[in-house]
Amino acid sequence: MFKINENYLKLPGSYLFSMIGKKVSAYKEANPDRDVISLGIGDVTLPLVPEVIKKLHGAVDEMAVKETFRGYTPDLGYQFLRDAIIENDFLPRGVQLDNDEVFISDGAKSDTGNIGDIFSVDNRIAVTDPVYPVYVDSNVMNGRGGIYLPDQGRFSDVIYMPCTAENNFVPELPKERPDIIYLCFPNNPTGTTITKDQLQVWVDYARREGSVIIFDAAYEAYITEDDVPHSIYECEGAKECAIEIRSYSKNAGFTGTRLGFTVVPKQLMCGDVHVRDLWARRHGTKFNGAPYIVQMGAMGTYTPEGKKQIREEIDYYMENARTIRQGLADAGYAVYGGVNSPYIWMKTPKDLSSWEFFDLLLNKANVVGTPGSGFGPHGEGYFRLTSFGTHENTKKAIERIIKL
Ligand code: PLP
């Protein structure tokens, strides 16, 4: 009999969003006349901007003509896009990269989930708690992380680094040494960030300890404050210890179009092996490239007009973030995030659990959010709201919560 990868059986069911879906459906069925507003959505809602659409159309037309038709894309992605990334996303921040250190992919979920393939199963991982679940689950699939402890909501061999209001959502250096450290700033779910000086501490630690940092910068475009780094490579020595993953999903509305990239600098070495070469090997073997049409679409985010257009969309979402943050703060809630991020993380009132607050909001205010406990044990007692709705609905939802 064939054998399965039993590591998959160690994973708990993806309970969070299915539970939310069930509760909301049941409520709507019982109360069909109620207008339920979701501030739980982690997906963008505004359409692709005109410059992107123009590039997409142009590329579609090219595919219809023999002379300009394109088949398989180059392994690392088209050079025009990799050049544009370096020129627009990194050089203005003082970061020099070589073209072959940038790998185009179909998004940050794939890359954060797949990057573990190139590291030994013996490595110990560290994650912030609460955390974007992909980091832990994908490592468990690869045989890392130990077993799930349901009463604690954690895996036995993962180092969890609490991020709570008490430490300002900045993880402390772990007491036990991890091999692979996952950091995501601006953070999902807490919406909080880290300053360049604070990130430098992590870079120095990783270099000292021989650890590698996987830096997820999917929300980089939402940064508004000057001392918050857009790239980990703004920190000294980061090229020797860090991989950075980016996405076009939240900055340019590509959640359904799919595109992202990963940077693996050549200076990142394990003994005499370039980690970059392993990622190139994996990419070339298991991935046949993001579509030409989509890569061309991304070029629309780098024209002067395109930059303006995507900025307007981000500003639209960030106005919602302000509405949520300000409204709740004025009403006396403890709120975090929402300044460099589309996520607002709030403390539940009166020591309600995350799920108790979810039920209260759904039943009494007809507003849906995401219980913080779904992102890890230290998310308990917190609640995530997102800015991806319309201005009207966001305002209405906040008024309802305040009234409640
Ligand atoms: N990383 C983080 C922290 C995210 O929150 C998300 C999406 O919600 C992703 C990665 C996935 O991005 P992509 O759409 O590029 O796969």
Side-chain angles (χ1 to χ4, degrees):
M1 185 66 184
F2 63 86
K3 294 191 178 66
I4 54 162
N5 178 348
E6 293 200 356
N7 293 318
Y8 280 63
L9 304 181
K10 296 180 195 162
L11 293 166
S14 46
Y15 165 82
L16 179 63
F17 289 101
S18 67
M19 188 56 149
I20 292 173
K22 269 188 210 147
K23 280 181 181 259
V24 174
S25 302
Y27 182 82
K28 281 183 175 168
E29 218 167 277
N31 304 277
D33 54 322
R34 297 285 166 84
D35 161 39
V36 176
I37 300 175
S38 177
L39 297 188
I41 185 168
D43 196 354
V44 291
T45 52
L46 294 173
L48 294 171
V49 299
E51 274 291 285
V52 168
I53 293 294
K54 200 164 83 186
K55 294 278 186 200
L56 289 170
H57 279 165
V60 168
D61 289 342
E62 283 182 69
M63 294 298 253
V65 177
K66 191 170 188 309
E67 286 68 32
T68 49
F69 168 80
R70 311 231 182 179
Y72 288 124
T73 61
D75 276 358
L76 271 58
Y78 281 101
Q79 180 148 354
F80 61 75
L81 181 57
R82 289 183 287 132
D83 285 343
I85 286 168
I86 293 171
E87 199 181 306
N88 293 282
D89 292 328
F90 290 96
L91 278 179
R93 311 259 159 221
V95 178
Q96 310 255 357
L97 292 173
D98 286 346
N99 195 285
D100 58 357
E101 294 175 314
V102 179
F103 297 77
I104 309 296
S105 74
D106 62 352
K109 189 175 201 173
S110 311
D111 286 353
T112 51
N114 290 327
I115 197 76
D117 288 8
I118 61 172
F119 298 106
S120 159
V121 72
D122 302 329
N123 286 302
R124 187 128 193 248
I125 69 158
V127 296
T128 56
D129 171 17
V131 66
Y132 177 58
V134 174
Y135 313 148
V136 175
D137 289 3
S138 59
N139 274 284
V140 171
M141 289 170 177
N142 273 346
R144 282 181 286 264
I147 54 162
Y148 188 63
L149 308 170
D151 49 330
Q152 296 178 35
R154 60 191 293 275
F155 279 89
S156 60
D157 201 30
V158 172
I159 299 170
Y160 291 83
M161 306 180 290
C163 291
T164 59
E166 285 70 42
N167 61 12
N168 225 356
F169 303 96
V170 177
E172 281 151 33
L173 295 175
K175 291 183 184 64
E176 303 164 273
R177 182 195 156 276
D179 299 291
I180 306 173
I181 302 162
Y182 286 83
L183 295 178
C184 171
F185 291 109
N187 187 264
N188 178 17
T190 67
T192 57
T193 50
I194 191 167
T195 64
K196 188 171 157 189
D197 290 346
Q198 288 169 328
L199 187 57
Q200 185 68 55
V201 171
W202 280 92
V203 169
D204 294 344
Y205 173 84
R207 288 174 76 197
R208 199 166 62 236
E209 297 292 336
S211 308
V212 60
I213 297 173
I214 312 294
F215 189 73
D216 185 342
Y219 296 94
E220 167 275 333
Y222 289 81
I223 293 171
T224 60
E225 293 179 316
D226 287 343
D227 58 351
V228 178
H230 288 246
S231 164
I232 194 167
Y233 304 120
E234 290 174 43
C235 295
E236 213 181 308
K239 284 189 184 170
E240 289 165 29
C241 67
I243 290 171
E244 180 163 312
I245 297 173
R246 296 248 191 138
S247 167
Y248 290 89
S249 284
K250 304 294 162 74
N251 65 336
F254 275 53
T255 51
T257 312
R258 310 302 309 142
L259 202 70
F261 63 89
T262 285
V263 177
V264 192
K266 287 180 208 136
Q267 287 101 311
L268 178 61
M269 310 272 295
C270 180
D272 56 2
V273 175
H274 292 277
V275 173
R276 181 229 162 256
D277 295 346
L278 268 58
W279 187 241
R281 190 72 174 84
R282 190 207 175 279
H283 218 58
T285 302
K286 291 198 178 184
F287 183 61
N288 239 346
Y292 170 69
I293 295 168
V294 178
Q295 294 192 47
M296 271 309 284
M299 291 301 286
T301 67
Y302 294 119
T303 65
E305 198 51 35
K307 282 181 187 173
K308 225 170 83 204
Q309 291 168 354
I310 61 172
R311 177 51 48 197
E312 278 164 16
E313 293 207 340
I314 292 167
D315 289 347
Y316 182 92
Y317 295 133
M318 288 307 276
E319 191 174 327
N320 286 338
R322 269 192 300 279
T323 302
I324 299 171
R325 206 186 138 85
Q326 203 56 51
L328 294 179
D330 289 349
Y333 286 99
V335 283
Y336 311 94
V339 175
N340 298 291
S341 154
Y343 297 118
I344 289 91
W345 193 239
M346 65 184 289
K347 192 90 194 72
T348 59
K350 302 198 167 135
D351 286 332
L352 291 178
S353 76
S354 299
W355 277 109
E356 283 169 344
F357 189 58
F358 174 90
D359 289 334
L360 181 76
L361 277 196
L362 175 61
N363 291 304
K364 299 277 189 261
N366 301 156
V367 174
V368 178
T370 312
S373 54
F375 297 99
H378 282 88
E380 181 56 274
Y382 290 91
F383 201 73
R384 191 190 76 172
L385 298 171
T386 76
S387 322
F388 292 120
T390 61
H391 286 169
E392 298 70 31
N393 275 346
T394 305
K395 269 198 203 110
K396 211 174 352 168
I398 294 308
E399 278 160 17
R400 288 186 197 170
I401 298 176
I402 292 171
K403 211 158 124 202
L404 175 75

